[in-house]
Amino acid sequence: MKIPEKIGQIIGAGQDFLILAHNHPDGDAVGSVSALGRGLKSLGKHVDYYMDPEIEDKLGFIDEIELFKHDASQLAPKYDAVIYVDCSTKDYAYAPEQMPECANTIVVDHHKSNEGYGDENFVEITGAAGELVYLLLKDLGAEIDDDTKDALFTALSSDTGSFQFSNVTSQTHRIAAALHENDKIFSPISKRLHSEKSYAQMKMYGEAVHSLELHDDGQVAFIELPYNVIRKWGGALNITDDVSNIGMSVIPVIVSALAKETEPDVWRISLRSKSPYDIDVSEVSLEYGGGGHQRAAGCTFEGTEQEMRDALIPRLERLVAEAGEDICES
Ligand SMILES: [Mn+2]
């Protein structure tokens, strides 16, 4: 994997860096941003983070979060570079309305749909953006201390569904192995990220299971969490990541959708497709201004529940139909 040389030069020559990630940051975004910032600071650089304050409680063990800024007035007027992490497009980033002056724009991302909007782009399709951050920190000769390891493991573990998804490669495991060196144990973080839930989160999970529908002879799963249900169980932050994957655990589902009504008539849609089928759910998310990967993508739909269902369910059935007739054989 080739890291553009210019990135090392910009970081080497610069002193002040601004790090951004996407809206509604997940474990990969928060972990990658934190690890990158800590690594740059180990090289004597000054780092500011500007991040969406809506961060899931389960990520609260990452101390770097306390340094995240949410108020643009706290930022410097000028940086040597802004680094976009885990953002498939510039628009998807959580950024101040009035961006400080940044001499360079660096992009570190792993989304297939990323077209390279930076001056310098380290964009490769990997399991997690955290893999790219690890490679970059190694390349820069940055220190990877215990907290940085925790952040990187969080990134890898989050975006690979605890190393279960098809985006896991030998590189993902090699990096995870390197993080485990010196008898470092990540079991508590794994449990925290993937199995522990609060009562409200578990009830929300139950509501999602309860709403599960199958379409297209069981090949398409559809789960809906309406606004009143989300409110009842404490808000959208109590919808854990694994809710998006409930549909995928049902046989013989190959495409699943989770529709969350985060505000009245505003639906955040998460799409999944099962490997090894050649189905790219980002085709659908892109039609609605979203983005993502072949097997995990997202977008926002504005409209009534009926409008959302009428648009989405037939579209997913068509996606499956277009993938070919032999799909049920394997
Ligand atoms: Mn990611």
Side-chain angles (χ1 to χ4, degrees):
M1 223 157 266
K2 183 109 180 59
I3 305 173
E5 264 173 46
K6 209 54 208 309
I7 294 182
Q9 290 166 10
I10 292 168
I11 292 174
Q15 181 55 38
D16 297 306
F17 296 92
L18 175 63
I19 304 183
L20 308 179
H22 56 78
N23 289 296
H24 313 293
D26 53 8
D28 187 28
V30 171
S32 294
V33 158
S34 301
L36 178 60
R38 293 182 60 80
L40 293 185
K41 286 190 277 186
S42 80
L43 296 168
K45 310 295 178 185
H46 173 81
V47 170
D48 276 336
Y49 308 99
Y50 186 78
M51 295 283 286
D52 186 338
E54 281 200 19
I55 293 174
E56 292 174 88
D57 288 347
K58 70 177 179 188
L59 298 172
F61 68 95
I62 297 177
D63 291 340
E64 208 68 8
I65 291 173
E66 285 166 31
L67 305 176
F68 289 1
K69 293 179 173 163
H70 322 296
D71 177 354
S73 70
Q74 295 175 313
L75 299 178
K78 227 171 134 171
Y79 292 90
D80 292 306
V82 53
I83 310 178
Y84 289 86
V85 180
D86 201 25
C87 297
S88 53
T89 66
K90 202 171 189 169
D91 288 343
Y92 193 42
Y94 184 83
E97 233 164 74
Q98 198 60 45
M99 267 294 275
E101 196 185 319
C102 298
N104 296 281
T105 299
I106 297 173
V107 173
V108 178
D109 185 36
H110 69 129
H111 291 88
K112 193 183 103 182
S113 54
N114 193 315
E115 288 173 356
Y117 52 89
D119 301 322
E120 299 302 324
N121 301 283
F122 183 25
V123 177
E124 300 273 355
I125 300 174
T126 53
E131 294 182 39
L132 302 175
V133 168
Y134 174 85
L135 296 172
L136 180 59
L137 293 183
K138 280 300 211 191
D139 191 60
L140 293 168
E143 186 192 349
I144 298 181
D145 67 6
D146 240 43
D147 284 358
T148 305
K149 285 181 181 176
D150 287 348
L152 287 168
F153 185 86
T154 298
L156 266 57
S157 179
S158 297
D159 259 21
T160 62
S162 199
F163 304 92
Q164 287 186 63
F165 298 160
S166 60
N167 59 5
V168 172
T169 63
S170 58
Q171 173 179 276
T172 320
H173 279 296
R174 270 199 299 274
I175 294 173
L179 298 176
H180 275 85
E181 268 170 28
N182 301 319
D183 299 328
K184 175 98 174 133
I185 303 281
F186 293 100
S187 172
I189 294 181
S190 276
K191 285 188 189 139
R192 187 174 171 128
L193 293 176
H194 299 288
S195 47
E196 292 172 356
K197 286 181 177 57
S198 68
Y199 179 74
Q201 287 170 337
M202 190 58 89
K203 296 300 265 187
M204 188 87 83
Y205 187 94
E207 298 273 12
V209 173
H210 187 71
S211 84
L212 169 70
E213 299 168 14
L214 296 184
H215 298 270
D216 202 11
D217 293 330
Q219 296 185 104
V220 174
F222 188 78
I223 292 175
E224 211 179 282
L225 287 172
Y227 185 66
N228 62 338
V229 171
I230 293 175
R231 283 226 357 209
K232 181 176 172 194
W233 298 113
L237 278 177
N238 278 334
I239 305 170
T240 46
D241 289 345
D242 52 357
V243 174
S244 310
N245 300 317
I246 290 171
M248 298 313 282
S249 304
V250 182
I251 301 165
V253 169
I254 52 182
V255 167
S256 85
L258 164 67
K260 304 180 282 192
E261 194 181 13
T262 52
E263 290 166 50
D265 291 339
V266 177
W267 299 84
R268 276 181 38 210
I269 314 289
S270 304
L271 302 171
R272 297 288 184 269
S273 75
K274 193 175 279 178
S275 68
Y277 304 107
D278 190 19
I279 295 179
D280 186 351
V281 284
S282 72
E283 272 178 36
V284 176
S285 65
L286 286 168
E287 289 168 9
Y288 291 98
H293 311 274
Q294 177 184 7
R295 307 216 175 275
C299 56
T300 301
F301 185 95
E302 291 190 26
T304 63
E305 179 188 12
Q306 197 58 49
E307 286 165 348
M308 182 273 297
R309 292 177 60 94
D310 289 349
L312 205 59
I313 296 172
R315 181 66 187 92
L316 294 175
E317 289 176 341
R318 187 150 59 84
L319 189 72
V320 171
E322 283 166 359
E325 288 167 25
D326 54 350
I327 205 149
C328 286
E329 287 171 16
S330 44

